[in-house]
């Protein structure tokens, strides 16, 4: 914890509001070692007797936080899932209960990313899509959008961390090698951002991703909100 754009934005805004970490409040981080580690991490956070629990990222973060929070307020920065559709809050305007926060509307942006790829590359008719269990609903959304846009997609589900991108791509037919779209997942975004960029450059693939950090690392295109802004 403490190193992502969301976390940096959060700490920066807290400081502007007069809350300085280590001075007049303590911001506790617990490192997540894998997607299966969220439960252990939030139990450790709860044991530290905190006043507020912050759940950043995928649905499992909020679910794990709620499992230990009791009556503590939970602030979510919901990325890659819809907290209203999943029943965690009643609405964004009046969430009810002890959960509040912000929500990254990933599904709607999945369609827009595909549209931007077809506009940037009019001759593109076949695209490879990398997805995993954290982005399965985005993959479903992408398939529906592709049918309307007249583009063919080949989806490859990445399994077994660390993901082997070269091995997965080796079985992709030539007609789907015109470009690559990588859906939003904590695995793609944080441990693998540099690896994905290097893979795309090595294979000379125009790539659409979910935020500007990939582009800063060398990938071609992204479309999405500022993670730092969400943290603020």
């Amino acid at each position: 914890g403490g190193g992502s754009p969301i976390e940096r934005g959060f700490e920066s805004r807290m400081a502007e509001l007069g809350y300085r970490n280590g001075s007049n409040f303590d911001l506790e981080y617990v490192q997540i070692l894998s997607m299966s580690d969220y439960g252990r991490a939030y139990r450790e956070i709860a044991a530290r007797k905190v006043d507020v629990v912050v759940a950043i990222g995928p649905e499992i973060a909020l679910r794990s936080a709620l499992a230990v929070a009791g009556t503590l307020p939970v602030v979510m920065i919901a990325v890659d899932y819809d907290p209203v559709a999943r029943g965690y809050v009643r609405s964004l305007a009046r969430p009810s209960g002890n959960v509040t926060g912000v929500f990254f509307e990933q599904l709607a942006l999945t369609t827009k990313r595909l549209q931007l790829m077809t506009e940037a590359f009019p001759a593109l008719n076949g695209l490879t899509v990398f997805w995993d269990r954290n982005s399965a609903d985005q993959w479903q959304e992408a398939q529906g959008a592709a049918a309307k846009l007249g583009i063919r997609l080949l989806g490859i589900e990445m399994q077994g961390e660390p993901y082997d991108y070269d091995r997965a791509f080796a079985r992709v037919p030539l007609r789907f090698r015109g470009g690559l779209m990588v859906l939003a997942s904590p695995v793609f975004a944080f441990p693998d951002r540099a690896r994905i960029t290097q893979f795309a450059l090595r294979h000379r693939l125009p790539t659409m991703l979910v935020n500007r950090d990939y582009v800063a690392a060398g990938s071609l295109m992204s479309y999405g909100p500022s993670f730092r802004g969400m943290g603020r």
Side-chain angles (χ1 to χ4, degrees):
S4 79
I6 285 180
E7 292 158 348
R8 291 196 301 271
F10 182 88
E11 288 200 56
S12 170
R13 182 58 179 152
M14 288 291 283
E16 291 173 7
L17 294 171
Y19 296 94
R20 300 191 177 276
N21 190 16
S23 175
N24 59 352
F25 93 114
D26 290 317
L27 183 57
E28 300 276 354
Y29 286 107
V30 176
Q31 185 177 14
I32 302 294
L33 302 175
S34 69
M35 291 299 292
S36 61
D37 199 34
Y38 276 94
R40 187 275 312 169
Y42 277 97
R43 287 192 296 273
E44 185 174 330
I45 286 174
R48 296 182 185 182
K49 307 299 183 184
V50 297
D51 298 303
V52 178
V53 179
V54 181
I56 298 174
E59 181 181 7
I60 192 173
L62 181 57
R63 189 166 64 240
S64 300
L66 289 172
V68 298
T71 59
L72 288 176
V74 176
V75 177
M76 64 178 177
I77 303 176
V79 181
D80 307 341
Y81 70 99
D82 184 338
V84 179
R86 301 282 173 93
Y88 292 104
V89 295
R90 185 174 301 162
S91 74
L92 294 179
R94 297 184 179 278
S96 73
N98 59 330
V99 180
T100 190
V102 294
F103 160 40
F104 181 167
E105 295 189 66
Q106 194 68 263
L107 292 182
L109 295 180
T110 301
T111 298
K112 188 64 178 179
R113 291 182 192 114
L114 265 180
Q115 179 187 333
L116 291 171
M117 280 292 276
T118 60
E119 291 175 359
F121 302 97
L124 183 68
N125 53 32
L127 186 70
T128 295
V129 180
F130 286 165
W131 62 283
D132 64 7
R133 63 189 176 95
N134 305 300
S135 49
D137 51 356
Q138 297 168 55
W139 169 232
Q140 292 179 357
E141 187 79 9
Q143 292 174 88
K148 296 175 184 175
L149 292 168
I151 186 171
R152 295 177 301 172
L153 302 183
L154 176 67
I156 297 182
E157 182 182 6
M158 307 305 300
Q159 297 176 319
E161 297 175 46
Y163 297 159
D164 190 334
Y165 299 106
D166 286 291
R167 183 179 179 184
F169 196 65
R171 65 178 190 266
V172 173
L174 188 61
R175 65 183 181 277
F176 292 103
R177 293 188 174 213
L180 173 69
M181 184 171 171
V182 182
L183 301 184
S185 163
V187 181
F188 297 145
F190 298 111
D192 282 8
R193 183 186 303 139
R195 292 182 60 225
I196 288 171
T197 299
Q198 291 160 8
F199 163 84
L201 291 172
R202 191 163 57 249
H203 291 278
R204 302 180 63 84
L205 286 167
T207 306
M208 169 62 82
L209 297 131
V210 299
N211 68 72
R212 65 184 299 168
D213 297 312
Y214 290 97
V215 177
S219 293
L220 181 64
M221 299 172 67
S222 70
Y223 186 76
S226 163
F227 280 164
R228 185 180 178 90
M230 290 183 72
R232 289 176 60 82

